[in-house]
């Protein structure tokens, strides 16, 4: 059930989390599918609802430093620096985990991914739940991330106890993930840009995949995929004959001859483009098109996260058919 984030509904949602249920909630990046991070049985429900393989670890969301202390063993100085600059916000840090965090959350890894979301609804939910909240993006494994409550409802509606509706998410791409080992390593491009991280860290190592031998499963090449095949190509590379049956995901300008076109940002603003990315793909994916072509965007700032998601969506191995979902024609 989709409900507005009134104080009563937030209390109800917090109660569901405390009693081991699942709540979908907005964050500033994408919607999350949350459960009590300290309750292994509750967390198992997330994996079941998403049909997510158990080797793919989850991000734990905290509302304050005290909760952070509950889930990590130590906070290195470099983490302090990053937190003071980017928290609350869309940066996830991978740190040594505390004993309280069940192995199912971290897929058996000795580290845990944590972030303090900036979205007021996410914050209020975690604060009221009084426990850290494990939450992956609220989509079936491998499919497009949700940026609106109705995306969650359509994809996972019956599998979630409550969906809090906070409107469209601000960034539209997931958090940036940084592993803090001896050296900081960037694991996923996301809403905090590489350029912003570099202002704090100087340089950092990149292990952002897609990789056939990923360090963590979230780096698998096939991810974030619509069911319609997607190809990355500038408009001039697509012959007119193919355009008639295809959708085009354009960056700035509307090219001619396509069956349908979505423009990410008429002014060429990457922040705006990222915010519209998954919504545009969700819409195109429901039209029963033969193929969706996507225009490459400049690989700077948020453009890196956008291109990362597009490349994975376009990966030949992307799961096209998710049998627990209805087909586009049925929707
Ligand atoms: O913006 C976001 O981060 C959203 C919202 C809901 O917060 N969450 C999200 O979660 O994108 P998810 O499950 O879609 O991505 C989590 C990814 C994993 O696939 C993995 O790549 C990485 O986080 N991860 C989690 N734990 C890790 C660990 N211990 N070491 C390395 N990477 C880890
Ligand atoms: Mg995800």
């Amino acid at each position: 059930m989709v409900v507005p984030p009134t104080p009563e509904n937030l209390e109800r949602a917090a109660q569901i989390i405390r009693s081991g249920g699942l709540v979908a909630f907005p964050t500033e990046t994408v919607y999350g599918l949350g459960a009590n991070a300290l309750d292994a049985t509750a967390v198992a429900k997330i994996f079941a609802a998403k049909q997510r393989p158990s080797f793919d670890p989850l991000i734990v969301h905290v509302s304050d430093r005290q909760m952070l202390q509950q889930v990590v063993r130590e906070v290195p100085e470099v983490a302090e620096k990053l937190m003071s600059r980017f928290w609350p916000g869309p940066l996830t840090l991978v740190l040594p985990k505390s004993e309280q965090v069940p192995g199912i959350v971290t897929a058996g890894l000795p580290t845990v991914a944590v972030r303090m979301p900036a979205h007021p609804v996410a914050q209020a939910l975690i604060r009221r739940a009084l426990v850290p909240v494990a939450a992956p993006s609220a989509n079936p494994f491998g499919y497009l991330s949700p940026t609106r409550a109705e995306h969650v409802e359509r994809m996972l509606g019956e599998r979630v106890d409550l969906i809090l509706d906070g409107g469209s998410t601000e960034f539209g791409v997931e958090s940036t993930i940084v592993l803090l080992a001896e050296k900081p390593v960037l694991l996923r491009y996301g809403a905090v840009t590489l350029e912003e991280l570099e202002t704090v860290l100087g340089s950092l190592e990149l292990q952002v995949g897609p990789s056939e031998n990923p360090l963590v499963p979230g780096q698998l090449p096939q991810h974030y995929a619509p069911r319609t095949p997607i190809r990355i190509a500038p408009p001039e590379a697509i012959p007119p004959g193919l355009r008639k049956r295809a959708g085009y995901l354009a960056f700035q300008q509307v090219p001619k001859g396509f069956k349908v076109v979505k423009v990410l940002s008429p002014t060429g603003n990457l922040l705006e483009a990222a915010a519209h990315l998954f919504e545009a793909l969700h819409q195109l994916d429901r039209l029963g098109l033969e193929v969706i072509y996507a225009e490459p965007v400049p690989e700077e700032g948020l453009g890196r996260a956008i291109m990362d998601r597009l490349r994975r969506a376009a990966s030949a191995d992307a799961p096209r058919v998710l049998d627990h979902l209805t087909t586009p024609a049925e929707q």
Side-chain angles (χ1 to χ4, degrees):
M1 200 206 320
V2 181
V3 298
T6 59
E8 300 76 48
N9 287 331
L10 281 166
E11 197 45 52
R12 191 170 143 210
Q15 181 57 42
I16 291 170
I17 296 277
R18 274 197 301 275
S19 55
L22 298 183
V23 174
F25 62 96
T27 79
E28 67 277 31
T29 57
V30 301
Y31 275 72
L33 179 62
N36 179 355
L38 305 179
D39 177 345
T41 309
V43 172
K45 292 180 190 165
I46 296 178
F47 284 89
K50 282 190 59 127
Q51 302 198 350
R52 181 179 175 113
S54 58
F55 55 72
D56 194 1
L58 305 179
I59 295 173
V60 173
H61 299 68
V62 298
S63 58
D64 55 41
R65 291 298 295 257
Q66 210 181 332
M67 243 185 226
L68 173 71
Q69 297 301 340
Q70 248 186 314
V71 298
V72 303
R73 216 177 52 229
E74 56 182 327
V75 180
E77 212 176 297
V78 56
E80 290 287 353
K81 273 201 217 160
L82 289 169
M83 290 184 304
S84 66
R85 170 77 169 75
F86 297 109
W87 278 16
L91 178 67
T92 296
L93 300 176
V94 177
L95 294 166
K97 83 171 197 68
S98 78
E99 275 175 18
Q100 277 198 68
V101 179
I104 186 171
V105 173
T106 65
L109 294 169
T111 52
V112 62
V114 274
R115 85 175 185 98
M116 190 184 287
H119 196 291
V121 174
Q123 285 202 354
L125 173 66
I126 304 163
R127 225 181 304 115
R128 284 170 190 255
L130 301 169
V131 289
V133 173
S137 49
N139 52 286
F141 183 68
Y143 194 62
L144 298 172
S145 294
T147 56
R148 300 166 57 151
E150 66 189 58
H151 296 158
V152 183
E153 161 110 279
R154 209 158 54 223
M155 296 190 290
L156 294 175
E158 284 127 56
R159 295 160 180 251
V160 187
D161 296 308
L162 196 69
I163 302 170
L164 291 169
D165 188 351
S168 291
T169 59
E170 180 190 346
F171 287 99
V173 289
E174 295 80 356
S175 63
T176 301
I177 304 181
V178 175
L179 167 72
L180 296 172
E182 298 100 82
K183 283 183 293 179
V185 182
L186 183 69
L187 295 181
R188 177 170 79 180
Y189 286 125
V192 170
T193 65
L194 177 62
E195 291 85 345
E196 285 173 304
L197 285 173
E198 283 171 344
T199 62
V200 174
L201 296 173
S203 67
L204 70 167
E205 199 180 306
L206 302 185
Q207 283 189 34
V208 283
S211 157
E212 293 296 341
N213 290 307
L215 197 69
V216 289
Q219 298 184 314
L220 289 169
Q222 64 276 32
H223 221 97
Y224 311 110
R227 279 161 288 174
T228 316
I230 178 158
R231 305 273 172 268
I232 301 172
E236 59 274 16
I238 304 154
L242 293 181
R243 295 188 186 198
K244 283 189 227 95
R245 294 184 306 246
Y248 199 71
L249 183 67
F251 177 39
Q252 264 186 279
Q253 276 159 9
V254 182
K256 291 210 171 66
F258 288 92
K259 190 165 179 201
V260 51
V261 176
K262 299 277 173 206
V263 176
L264 290 179
S265 170
T267 59
N269 178 323
L270 289 167
L271 198 71
E272 184 184 29
H276 293 154
L277 176 68
F278 283 122
E279 167 66 7
L281 284 169
H282 276 283
Q283 287 181 5
L284 289 170
D285 200 25
R286 295 173 73 204
L287 300 177
L289 298 162
E290 228 164 73
V291 57
I292 299 166
Y293 292 100
E295 184 170 18
V297 305
E299 293 203 53
E300 64 198 24
L302 278 169
R304 293 183 221 266
I306 295 172
M307 286 307 291
D308 171 80
R309 305 307 186 267
L310 285 177
R311 288 200 180 98
R312 288 177 214 249
S315 158
D317 304 322
R320 300 269 175 253
V321 181
L322 296 164
D323 42 15
H324 59 287
L325 291 171
T326 53
T327 63
E330 287 166 336
Q331 288 177 347

